[in-house]
Amino acid sequence: TQLLEQSPQFLSIQEGENLTVYCNSSSVFSSLQWYRQEPGEGPVLLVTVVTGGEVKKLKRLTFQFGDARKDSSLHITAAQPGDTGLYLCAGVKDSGNTPLVFGKGTRLSVIA
Amino acid sequence: NAGVTQTPKFQVLKTGQSMTLQCAQDMNHEYMSWYRQDPGMGLRLIHYSVGAGITDQGEVPNGYNVSRSTTEDFPLRLLSAAPSQTSVYFCATKNRVVSMGYTFGSGTRLTVV
């Protein structure tokens, strides 16, 4: 059973379009993180959200943590080819030593 | 400042061989962990450590051993390689602060034939 469900699994869009990626769970998380991974490299942290309802912006990327801390979304405005990559959500279930668990990822392709 | 260094970058093993994947970090991070990444499966946790001398199993620990004798190093040992262990392996570290993200190495691509 996958603790974090990401959708869609694959997304191919034209440059300039907007998109939203979802990360859902039936469990409550103390924090959720979003990573981006490029081919041949390890994931790189984009953002951490820790408070229910929190919204964080990183240039054209907007991240939201659900009020109940069970879900999160990543919205990209005016996507560019440089946004192409694998987007991973990951969560920590409590504030102790619980390790990070990952969703399966969303592979985004932005076509010029 | 090298961050997280994984060696080797590529490895081909024969079934039944053993090997150690190395992970070293210079950030004095307490937490270290090993993940494997397979197509369509995402990143799955193998073993993790919250400090020197302390290790615990993750989601897919069978066939792997770890030890943490120093803060800097967290080697992953394959005892008897199997084709099912063909994967990309990532080492990841973080400090104790909950809201901090993990820093990943660049991975080891392992093929078992």
Side-chain angles (χ1 to χ4, degrees), chain A residues 2 4-11 19-25 34 72-75 87-89 103-107:
Chain A
Q2 192 74 18
L4 284 167
E5 297 286 346
Q6 277 189 250
S7 61
Q9 192 175 355
F10 299 97
L11 192 55
L19 67 111
T20 302
V21 175
Y22 299 94
C23 178
N24 295 304
S25 177
W34 285 91
S72 182
S73 63
L74 157 61
H75 182 79
Y87 289 82
L88 297 155
C89 73
K104 292 185 178 181
T106 293
R107 190 165 297 281

Side-chain angles (χ1 to χ4, degrees), chain A residues 17-90:
Chain A
E17 292 184 350
N18 301 332
L19 67 111
T20 302
V21 175
Y22 299 94
C23 178
N24 295 304
S25 177
S26 57
S27 299
V28 175
F29 288 87
S30 64
S31 67
L32 275 180
Q33 300 172 357
W34 285 91
Y35 292 79
R36 190 174 107 184
Q37 185 179 21
E38 301 200 21
E41 298 296 327
V44 175
L45 180 70
L46 295 173
V47 77
T48 300
V49 285
V50 296
T51 304
E54 182 176 5
V55 177
K56 281 192 174 179
K57 294 196 174 188
L58 186 67
K59 297 184 180 178
R60 293 176 293 100
L61 278 61
T62 302
F63 304 85
Q64 185 161 8
F65 199 11
D67 291 341
R69 291 187 290 126
K70 293 182 178 181
D71 55 85
S72 182
S73 63
L74 157 61
H75 182 79
I76 301 179
T77 303
Q80 298 177 0
D83 296 326
T84 293
L86 180 67
Y87 289 82
L88 297 155
C89 73

Side-chain angles (χ1 to χ4, degrees), chain B residues 11-19 80-83 85 110-113:
Chain B
Q11 183 71 49
V12 179
L13 286 180
K14 293 183 179 178
T15 298
Q17 286 185 317
S18 62
M19 78 159 294
S80 177
Q85 293 179 304
L110 175 68
T111 302
V112 183
V113 297

Side-chain angles (χ1 to χ4, degrees), chain B residues 4-64:
Chain B
V4 180
T5 302
Q6 287 187 240
T7 56
K9 199 161 180 64
F10 301 95
Q11 183 71 49
V12 179
L13 286 180
K14 293 183 179 178
T15 298
Q17 286 185 317
S18 62
M19 78 159 294
T20 300
L21 280 63
Q22 302 291 347
C23 175
Q25 54 107 352
D26 60 0
M27 300 172 287
N28 203 33
H29 283 177
E30 297 93 341
Y31 294 179
M32 296 187 75
S33 51
W34 278 101
Y35 290 86
R36 60 178 288 175
Q37 187 173 35
D38 303 292
M41 299 296 292
L43 283 149
R44 292 183 293 168
L45 182 66
I46 305 171
H47 285 286
Y48 66 102
S49 169
V50 300
I54 305 168
T55 64
D56 208 344
Q57 295 181 351
E59 180 186 357
V60 287
N62 291 342
Y64 308 95

Side-chain angles (χ1 to χ4, degrees), chain A residues 88-110:
Chain A
L88 297 155
C89 73
V92 177
K93 287 197 72 180
D94 59 50
S95 57
N97 292 330
T98 312
L100 200 62
V101 292
F102 281 84
K104 292 185 178 181
T106 293
R107 190 165 297 281
L108 172 66
S109 176
V110 182

